[in-house]
Amino acid sequence: MSENKETKENKKAKGEAKAEKPKAPKATFKPIKIQLRQRYNSEIAPALMKELGLKGRMQVPTLKKVMINLSTNQAVTNPKVLNTAVDEITAITGQKAVITKAKKSISNFKLREGMPIGVMVTLRKEKMWSFLERLIHFSLPRVRDFRGLSPRGFDGRGNYNMGLKEQIIFPEIDYDRVEHVRGMNITICTSAANDNQGRALLEALGMPFRKR
């Protein structure tokens, strides 16, 4: 009886000690701070206002959105390749990509209206700034024989279009698991009034244009 009583007391003491053990604090997740956006607000925007001779901060050009489009003729005969393309663009941008469909039929390419033909994603706010920062500092330097971006990609309204031949330049893509090398088109939309302002903005952000 004494042994049983002692055993119960020991269990009770252990239980109280366990109950008194302080709980671990809950993990708190803070939003990732995009350095490029911080630099724009604190350094780049004031410098652009002075460089472009603008009267107010609201006139300073800024980024509006970034669109990534990928089309492949393989989807005509094998629509399943778009599932892989969706996964790759989603990994690259951090946002779910959507499948795009043909707007008209082209008989020479065996393409019918409404047929899935590519994928796209539109980035805004934090994801836009994050993607552009990674593109400038990590992805573009990995392009083979890279000599800078063409300055001819502007559309006359301050927006810039560029093409990439390989998705494997993005660190998010596992080269060993890539089935096909695919290119993509990237459109950077700005609030610039003209191409000169658009280029000044992108150069200030670090876009490596070729010298004229």
Side-chain angles (χ1 to χ4, degrees), residues 66-70 131-132 135-136 139-141 143 146 148-155 159-166 169-170 183-189 202 207-210:
V66 174
M67 297 182 292
I68 297 95
N69 292 277
L70 184 156
F131 171 79
L132 191 62
L135 176 69
I136 294 171
S139 301
L140 289 179
V143 176
F146 183 66
L149 298 173
S150 172
R152 299 180 180 179
F154 289 95
D155 64 354
N159 305 314
Y160 184 72
N161 297 283
M162 58 179 288
L164 296 176
K165 296 181 179 180
E166 300 175 332
I169 67 170
F170 292 94
M184 68 188 70
N185 184 75
I186 299 174
T187 302
I188 303 173
C189 299
L202 296 184
M207 293 289 283
F209 290 104
R210 288 199 299 264

Side-chain angles (χ1 to χ4, degrees), residues 6 29 35 42 68 74 76 93-95 129 141 154 157 178 193:
E6 184 178 354
F29 299 94
Q35 294 182 0
S42 62
I68 297 95
Q74 295 176 340
V76 176
T93 62
Q95 181 172 308
W129 287 99
F154 289 95
R157 294 172 293 179
V178 172

Side-chain angles (χ1 to χ4, degrees), residues 5-123:
K5 185 177 181 181
E6 184 178 354
T7 302
K8 291 181 181 180
E9 290 178 353
N10 290 337
K11 289 182 179 180
K12 184 178 180 181
K14 290 180 180 179
E16 291 177 352
K18 187 176 181 180
E20 293 174 357
K21 186 178 180 180
K23 295 182 179 180
K26 294 182 178 180
T28 55
F29 299 94
K30 297 181 179 180
I32 299 174
K33 293 182 179 179
I34 310 303
Q35 294 182 0
L36 188 61
R37 186 173 188 176
Q38 291 178 335
R39 283 190 55 242
Y40 172 81
N41 291 326
S42 62
E43 302 173 17
I44 296 174
L48 283 176
M49 186 168 64
K50 184 177 180 180
E51 177 185 345
L52 300 175
L54 303 175
K55 296 180 180 180
R57 179 66 178 263
M58 297 299 295
Q59 294 179 315
V60 178
T62 186
L63 298 178
K64 295 175 64 178
K65 61 183 177 180
V66 174
M67 297 182 292
I68 297 95
N69 292 277
L70 184 156
S71 298
T72 174
N73 56 6
Q74 295 176 340
V76 176
T77 56
N78 182 19
K80 292 183 179 180
V81 300
L82 294 179
N83 295 330
T84 302
V86 166
D87 293 339
E88 291 179 345
I89 297 299
T90 299
I92 290 170
T93 62
Q95 181 172 308
K96 182 68 174 180
V98 298
I99 294 178
T100 57
K101 298 180 180 180
K103 295 182 180 180
K104 60 181 181 179
S105 301
I106 304 177
S107 58
N108 292 342
F109 295 100
K110 299 180 179 180
L111 186 65
R112 299 189 305 273
E113 182 180 357
M115 178 181 291
I117 194 64
V119 303
M120 72 165 295
V121 66
T122 300
L123 305 176

Side-chain angles (χ1 to χ4, degrees), residues 193-206:
N194 51 55
D195 289 347
N196 290 333
Q197 287 191 5
R199 176 163 180 170
L201 168 64
L202 296 184
E203 283 183 333
L205 293 175

